[in-house]
Amino acid sequence: NLPDRWAYVLPTEAQWEYACRAGTTTAYSWGDSITTSDANYNSNIGQTSSVGQYSANPWGFFDMHGNVWEWAADWQDTYPSGSVIDPLGSSNGSLRVHRGGSWLYAAAYLRSAFRGGNDPDFRDSGIGFRVALKQVD
């Protein structure tokens, strides 16, 4: 049951990274190194795992690194130059951004800052989504 004037949306790329980092500045929300005890990646399990099999990040979000890539609302484009706060991504393009890496990929693809992209019609066992709430008028 959604409250009045709220909707489920895909997070923007900036919102996704903000939630993933959870106030940290390291490669991963837990630090700069990774093991198979931290996330589902590099085919160590051979498939997606149920959410919550690994520790949550400092803000309580599970599986921001690994398990499945997560679609973002933005189209893939170059980042703006200079420092920006909560930037909006490109409103058009051919590839939709996905973040977080998946169970199929090596550790470097799971870094908080790594950006991937695919055609929005792409379907695979290593890609999914996380919803956010947005207030609408």
Side-chain angles (χ1 to χ4, degrees):
N1 295 332
L2 282 174
D4 287 343
R5 298 183 6 240
W6 287 85
Y8 291 115
V9 296
L10 288 175
T12 66
E13 187 176 9
Q15 290 166 337
W16 188 96
E17 187 170 337
Y18 183 75
C20 178
R21 288 186 177 280
T24 66
T25 58
T26 52
Y28 310 98
S29 61
W30 56 79
D32 285 320
S33 62
I34 187 172
T35 71
T36 55
S37 297
D38 298 315
N40 183 12
Y41 72 103
N42 209 25
S43 296
N44 62 323
I45 294 177
Q47 63 185 18
T48 58
S49 61
S50 297
V51 173
Q53 301 302 305
Y54 300 90
S55 296
N57 76 7
W59 289 352
F61 292 107
F62 289 93
D63 298 324
M64 296 295 291
H65 303 277
N67 209 27
V68 295
W69 289 101
E70 296 180 9
W71 290 113
D74 301 332
W75 292 99
Q76 193 170 41
D77 201 354
T78 57
Y79 276 145
S81 60
S83 179
V84 292
I85 296 174
D86 199 15
L88 292 177
S90 179
S91 59
N92 57 50
S94 60
L95 300 178
R96 178 79 66 185
V97 172
H98 53 68
R99 302 290 296 261
S102 84
W103 65 272
L104 288 161
Y105 285 80
Y109 295 97
L110 278 65
R111 296 172 53 92
S112 300
F114 188 84
R115 309 169 72 216
N118 269 92
D119 183 289
D121 291 335
F122 179 75
R123 301 294 180 262
D124 185 273
S125 65
I127 198 158
F129 62 93
R130 181 180 305 262
V131 296
L133 288 174
K134 179 180 180 179
Q135 196 166 20
V136 293
D137 294 327

